Amino acid sequence: MGDAAASRRMSAAEYLAWEREQPAKHEYHLGEVFAMAGGSPRHNFLSTAAGAELRAAVHGKGCHVLSSDQRISAKQGERYVYADAVVVCGVQTEPGAGDVLSNPTAIVEVLSRSTEAFDRGEKWEGYQRLPCLTDYLLVSPWHVRIEHYRREGDGSWRYRVLERGDTISLANGAQVSVDAIYDGAFALEAD
């Protein structure tokens, strides 16, 4: 997750006001604030590539792709996070907070050694509680490998591992080539 920001505790309202004034991003969980670390060149490339490929795939579907600067409400008043890329179909924000997205439909997290356990664990647990979320993608910076969790009609999650030559099929019908996301990624340094 990151280090607690100066061991600060604050309310959700205090965090949102404070965070808007900060030069770096911080996540919030039950009163604790955590600084976010910067990513390696490969991490940043994969975040951008996933966002670009998703944007092309959802074009014409009434959806938008937002960058890692978009704050997400994983649970109003308790957890605010950032993802590497977010797909949203019909933007809704948290009441009184027009810069906090409350209805992501697909979330992309590019893994790193420092955040992998959090992205697979506590962060994923929070994301699963979002009724609007249909797709969660974990992108490996070490291998051509994307883990795709897709919500089924009964609310359960289906898990698939996608590799070279595979296509990601989002719940909204959008399709993205795994190879297109990784094209050129391994020329850059990773963590």
Side-chain angles (χ1 to χ4, degrees), residues 74-75 122 124-133 151 157:
K75 187 168 184 186
E122 194 173 339
W124 171 223
E125 287 175 22
Y127 286 153
Q128 289 179 66
R129 293 185 183 99
L130 295 170
C132 52
L133 188 70
R151 191 186 303 263
W157 290 92

Side-chain angles (χ1 to χ4, degrees), residues 54-55 58-59 61-66 86-91 105-106:
L54 285 166
R55 182 176 185 271
V58 301
H59 181 75
K61 295 185 181 298
C63 302
H64 295 87
V65 177
L66 306 176
V86 180
V87 176
V88 61
C89 302
V91 174
T105 57

Side-chain angles (χ1 to χ4, degrees), residues 81-149:
V81 297
Y82 295 89
D84 290 304
V86 180
V87 176
V88 61
C89 302
V91 174
Q92 294 176 10
T93 57
E94 195 170 89
D99 60 348
V100 180
L101 183 66
S102 63
N103 68 323
T105 57
I107 293 177
V108 176
E109 295 286 0
V110 177
L111 300 174
S112 70
R113 300 203 192 288
S114 63
T115 65
E116 182 175 10
F118 181 60
D119 290 341
R120 291 181 182 285
E122 194 173 339
K123 202 169 193 182
W124 171 223
E125 287 175 22
Y127 286 153
Q128 289 179 66
R129 293 185 183 99
L130 295 170
C132 52
L133 188 70
T134 59
D135 297 273
Y136 183 53
L137 302 170
L138 294 170
V139 178
S140 171
W142 309 293
H143 314 283
V144 177
R145 179 185 167 98
I146 297 177
E147 296 170 73
H148 181 192
Y149 292 88

Side-chain angles (χ1 to χ4, degrees), residues 10 15 22-23 26 29-30 40-41 48 62 93 100 103 113 135 145 147 152 154 162:
M10 56 183 80
Y15 158 77
Q22 301 307 304
H26 301 80
H29 180 66
L30 295 173
S40 69
T48 302
T93 57
V100 180
N103 68 323
R113 300 203 192 288
D135 297 273
R145 179 185 167 98
E147 296 170 73
E152 298 296 306
D154 64 0
L162 302 158

Side-chain angles (χ1 to χ4, degrees), residues 40-58:
S40 69
R42 189 178 305 160
H43 182 283
N44 293 328
F45 175 90
L46 289 167
S47 297
T48 302
E53 295 300 325
L54 285 166
R55 182 176 185 271
V58 301

Side-chain angles (χ1 to χ4, degrees), residues 7 17 25-26 36 40 67 71 78 82 86 90 100 117 125 140 143 159-160 173 177 189 191:
S7 299
K25 294 183 282 192
H26 301 80
M36 304 233 357
S40 69
S67 76
R71 189 177 307 110
E78 292 185 18
Y82 295 89
V86 180
V100 180
E125 287 175 22
S140 171
H143 314 283
Y159 173 79
R160 283 189 66 204
S177 162
E189 292 293 320
D191 68 345

